[in-house]
Amino acid sequence: MWYAIEGYDGSDVLPQRMAARPAHLARLQALRDAGRLLVAGPCPAIDAEDPGPAGFSGSLVIAEFPSLADARAWADADPYVEAGVYARVEVRPFRKVLP
């Protein structure tokens, strides 16, 4: 089943985000390579493709996992969680309809 994982950045965490980004991306690439990633990306904190020093308000990942517990465990092990980037993370089932 698909799961939406939404991470919400804390305040002033852009340096921690940038430092943890390579490890974060490596995990996403592993999901992609396994055919389990639908979409992933950050949410700019301002209405701009490149928010610069404004940074990001969080990230969205929609990926396939065997269960909600597995999706939560994967989300809990995210390098952004370990680096203190995310103030909170929500994981919930997602049903793809379109496209």
Side-chain angles (χ1 to χ4, degrees), residues 5-99:
I5 301 170
E6 295 178 273
Y8 297 86
D9 284 20
S11 298
D12 302 316
V13 294
L14 186 57
Q16 294 97 305
R17 177 182 264 276
M18 299 314 293
R21 188 170 188 263
H24 172 79
L25 290 177
R27 295 178 82 232
L28 293 172
Q29 290 163 346
L31 283 177
R32 179 201 61 204
D33 293 349
R36 297 174 42 210
L37 183 65
L38 183 62
V39 67
C43 301
I46 60 173
D47 189 15
E49 181 75 21
D50 179 359
F56 301 89
S57 62
S59 303
L60 172 66
V61 174
I62 300 178
E64 189 175 36
F65 294 92
S67 69
L68 180 58
D70 289 323
R72 285 186 174 141
W74 186 90
D76 288 344
D78 193 291
Y80 284 172
V81 171
E82 295 173 8
V85 173
Y86 292 152
R88 76 179 201 278
V89 177
E90 294 181 9
V91 181
R92 59 187 177 202
F94 177 82
R95 187 173 147 219
K96 183 180 180 225
V97 175
L98 295 170

